[in-house]
Amino acid sequence: MTVDFAALRAHLDTSDMLGKVIGFPAQMESAWKIGSDFAPRVEALRSKSFERVVVCGMGGSAIGGDLARAFLGDRARVPILSCRDYHLPANLAKGALAIVSSYSGNTGETLSAYDAARQHGATLVAITSGGELAARCERDHVPACIIPGGMPPRSAIGFSLLPMLQVLRAGGVAVFEDHEYREALDVARERCDAYAPARRDNAATEMAQQLHRHTPFIYAAPGLLEGVARRWSCQMNENAKTLAHFAFFPELDHNEIVGWEVGEHLLAHAVVISLEDREDHPMTRRQADAGLSLMEPYAARVERLETPGGGRLARMVALMLLGDFTSVYLAYLNDVDPTPVKKIDALKQQLAGEQ
Ligand code: F6R
């Protein structure tokens, strides 16, 4: 059956989430410029020897840290960790560069982690569009990279990732080359064109149709696609309003694999999406081959997606965009507007008075 995605878009996508996904290359350019302008403000950090970087943030703002860690790999001089919690342990904060990332600047967990990082003597840098986080940074003379507001945080992923990379490079914590960004930008343009609603042979509309009335189980190896797997899952949740699950080889071959046995009603509606990259450890690839073949008889379908050629950032962006587009098309098939996240809003409102 041919689905008219353009008509569904006109009917359902009242706040134009698809337009924001299609606009990702322009967002990358703007984010890169903002990061470049901000970088000199953190160059003095080079004189400090951090023991680790901790990215404090939640949801769409936290994922920039996951992508940065995955892209940089061994090119980060010290480990890059995440804190997705109110509580930031003193032994993590001490000696750390804490990058506090909140798109709105008003997320309770992130503000609490900011206070803890400060109290335990971490060096702070923030990325935000404003809110209470920007106010606290001003009060405390903490450098804050201000990004444009007014978008759903998850659609501002370029603004949370690229300035963070520039902070890490300017602060002497990691190395990468400008041409890696330019290559990723070219790939983003190419992919946004290939996944546009009017395009035939469109991997994103096809994937959305395969996922319709099914539950995605997204698997990857730890490494380049770790953040992308989580991003796929979160985008399915927030845009398509559906459950999704992610886990990693080889660990899942030691536990989750056994669960692929009982509960036909779920398994028969599970679509396995294996995200793969040529730099995955060869034995992890073997573990994926073996694990996926055990799932195959039970799952509705097993899809193996390999990153295209090119550098690490380009490969990561290419597969992330396939997930972003798929999640919006899946929202259309699910007859929902991709933008509102009423449950997140309600929870934030409910807890606002309690911080
Ligand atoms: C909504 C979204 C959420 C938020 C999260 C934290 O689009 O992506 O996951 O990112 O609730 O809020 P911020 O990013 O404003 O700190």
Side-chain angles (χ1 to χ4, degrees), residues 17 57-62 101-110 129 151-156 231 234-235 238-239 339 341 344-345 348:
M17 179 59 81
M58 304 300 295
S61 293
S101 176
S102 169
Y103 184 74
S104 61
N106 291 322
T107 300
E109 296 91 328
T110 314
S129 72
M151 298 166 76
R154 64 190 178 283
S155 64
R231 170 79 175 173
C234 296
Q235 290 288 76
E238 294 177 62
N239 289 340
T339 298
V341 283
I344 297 178
D345 297 341
K348 282 188 178 178

Side-chain angles (χ1 to χ4, degrees), residues 55-58 62 82-89 107-114 116:
V55 178
C56 306
M58 304 300 295
S82 302
C83 172
R84 291 175 154 96
D85 194 7
Y86 292 95
H87 178 64
L88 175 65
T107 300
E109 296 91 328
T110 314
L111 290 170
S112 164
Y114 171 95

Side-chain angles (χ1 to χ4, degrees), residues 190-212:
E190 211 178 88
R191 293 283 156 157
C192 287
D193 189 43
Y195 303 147
R199 284 297 286 259
R200 286 164 188 277
D201 296 326
N202 186 327
T205 55
E206 277 166 25
M207 178 63 78
Q209 289 177 85
Q210 281 168 21
L211 292 181
H212 188 213

